[in-house]
Amino acid sequence: MENRKSLNILLYATFFAYFIISVDFLLMPIGISNPVKNYRALDIITGLIFWIGLIAGITLFVLYSRKCKKLFEQSSLNTASKKRIGLISFFSNRAAMISDIVFILSLILFAVLMIFTKRTAYFCYIVLAILVFSFSLHCILNGRAYFKHQKLNEISSN
């Protein structure tokens, strides 16, 4: 029970770190849009938030992945997993299906916006934030670690 709770905390913390990165994209146009005023500090803070969020997200995901692997090896499910990495897998489970649909739609919308609008339109940044977050979710929810996490949840609920 404690292990499952710590896995969930690591997973949600990873989601939160990637959410912070995507929200950070919404701050970027503020510094760009007004060159008359000095928004240098905001540009630096935005960059710091991005890099700290990225490093935190990767670190938390590595911890999550290692913990999943360790618990999976200790369980009765310790079998060879032929699951592909999350980057190239699609629609692996219900949560992944939702994130994949949002990812594909936001990718298409972003491409259309880049072709037919001014690239400085704030709506482009909103779509970019959704695209970045849904891509992060796509990679996590279709991956091996989340697959193992789901299997561990199945045996602990039975």
Side-chain angles (χ1 to χ4, degrees), residues 5-73:
K5 188 182 260 187
S6 65
L7 268 182
N8 288 335
I9 290 170
L10 281 172
L11 179 64
Y12 294 135
T14 304
F15 289 160
F16 182 72
Y18 286 115
F19 178 74
I20 293 297
I21 292 170
S22 62
V23 169
D24 191 46
F25 280 97
L26 300 176
L27 298 175
M28 289 180 183
I30 297 170
I32 295 169
S33 66
N34 198 347
V36 176
K37 294 186 178 177
N38 188 5
Y39 282 107
R40 183 82 176 130
L42 182 62
D43 290 341
I44 292 170
I45 291 170
T46 303
L48 283 173
I49 290 171
F50 174 81
W51 287 108
I52 290 170
L54 183 64
I55 291 168
I58 291 170
T59 303
L60 288 166
F61 182 73
V62 167
L63 293 173
Y64 167 75
S65 182
R66 285 183 182 169
K67 188 157 187 90
C68 279
K69 183 178 180 181
K70 179 183 168 192
L71 292 174
F72 195 76
E73 288 172 353

Side-chain angles (χ1 to χ4, degrees), residues 28-134:
M28 289 180 183
I30 297 170
I32 295 169
S33 66
N34 198 347
V36 176
K37 294 186 178 177
N38 188 5
Y39 282 107
R40 183 82 176 130
L42 182 62
D43 290 341
I44 292 170
I45 291 170
T46 303
L48 283 173
I49 290 171
F50 174 81
W51 287 108
I52 290 170
L54 183 64
I55 291 168
I58 291 170
T59 303
L60 288 166
F61 182 73
V62 167
L63 293 173
Y64 167 75
S65 182
R66 285 183 182 169
K67 188 157 187 90
C68 279
K69 183 178 180 181
K70 179 183 168 192
L71 292 174
F72 195 76
E73 288 172 353
Q74 292 173 352
S75 72
S76 60
L77 294 172
N78 189 12
T79 58
S81 173
K82 298 192 182 201
K83 179 110 177 65
R84 294 183 299 181
I85 61 171
L87 182 64
I88 58 175
S89 298
F90 284 87
F91 307 109
S92 300
N93 54 63
R94 180 172 286 196
M97 185 182 339
I98 294 168
S99 71
D100 290 343
I101 290 170
V102 172
F103 171 62
I104 292 167
L105 291 176
S106 62
L107 182 63
I108 292 168
L109 182 59
F110 186 71
V112 168
L113 287 172
M114 289 293 103
I115 294 169
F116 294 112
T117 66
K118 292 173 126 183
R119 286 173 175 77
T120 58
Y122 194 71
F123 189 64
C124 294
Y125 289 95
I126 294 171
V127 174
L128 180 62
I130 295 168
L131 176 66
V132 168
F133 186 62
S134 61

